[in-house]
Amino acid sequence: MKYRLKKLSEQVVVITGATSGIGLTTARHAAQRGAKLVLAARNEDALKQLNFELSKKGNDVIHVVADVGIEEDVRRIAQAAIDRFGGFDTWVNNAGVSIFGRTEDVSLEDQRKLFQTNFWGTVHGSLVAVEHLKKNGGAIINLGSEVSDRAVPLQGMYSASKHAVKGFTDSLRLELEEEGAPVAVSLIKPAAIDTMFVEHAKNYMEVEPKLPPPIYAPEVAANAILYAAENFKRDIFVGGAARFVAASAYHAPRVMDSLMKRFGFSQQKTNRPPRDKNQHSLYSPGTDLQERQGYEGHVFESSLYTQAVTHPKAMMTLLAAGLAFAAWWNLRERDNDIRLRSPYASRRNVSGFSL
């Protein structure tokens, strides 16, 4: 099914979880490309600062203080967009949070709260967006994860919530397609991203947690989201590592189980003692207006895999150019080799020219 999605500069874009990490990076990049923005998060002060920052640059921006786990709050986001801009074209369900620790150690209250944000927040946003977009067309972009396809230890409920987001997103897409609704539904599946993810997560472990490498920059995820706002794509893996994990989980699940048992625990633990157990964003907003936490190791600022998926024509052109150059270079080296092997190569006449 083909969808008529507007250029970003002509769109009104709703972004939840807009004051941190991927949401914040996406908001700033969308603003640079001329989109009108409706920004939602729980942190009112951060929203006001971000609104001021973008408005000062000439962008048309409004903000709504909202908890996506509460349906009434999500409806207020949509109504604010309608009141100010007459509606919206893209709705990005980005808000999310995690918990580090063995599943049996995590309280049911915390598990339910995580699902309220990650899963029900996505459900609330999607269903409210559908009510408007079925009339005018547009895109719903949900944030899944590489753990939508492969669960990891020590983040059991986060993995479960992202599996649930995938199932809901896939089902909603099919139902809309079957009735011919002009709503493109995309699922973005990032690998580990250098955001405030760890800082915002609640930690039950005896040490400070960390994300397992490889780690990608939030710009890689933001670019994938904004691509989906203009070009329908069912799924976009952010980072080749995410695609590898998903493929391995499908084709070799027991091998992945063995690898997870061997490396999945240690790669999520540091040697540092844990911070204050009350320092997290599960129930209330924490440190905001930061795109990155500052991962100590290497951060991939781009992903060739994601670029190839989102810009296939450009990548094919580059690949063709690269192959053409390689062929030219190979012929050049072969010609040089032939000349060097020639018995006349070292013989010269008195004029200095090769014979």
Side-chain angles (χ1 to χ4, degrees), residues 4-16:
R4 293 190 296 272
L5 302 177
K6 300 176 183 176
K7 293 181 180 180
L8 203 60
S9 59
E10 301 171 358
Q11 287 199 31
V12 176
V13 180
V14 177
I15 303 173
T16 68

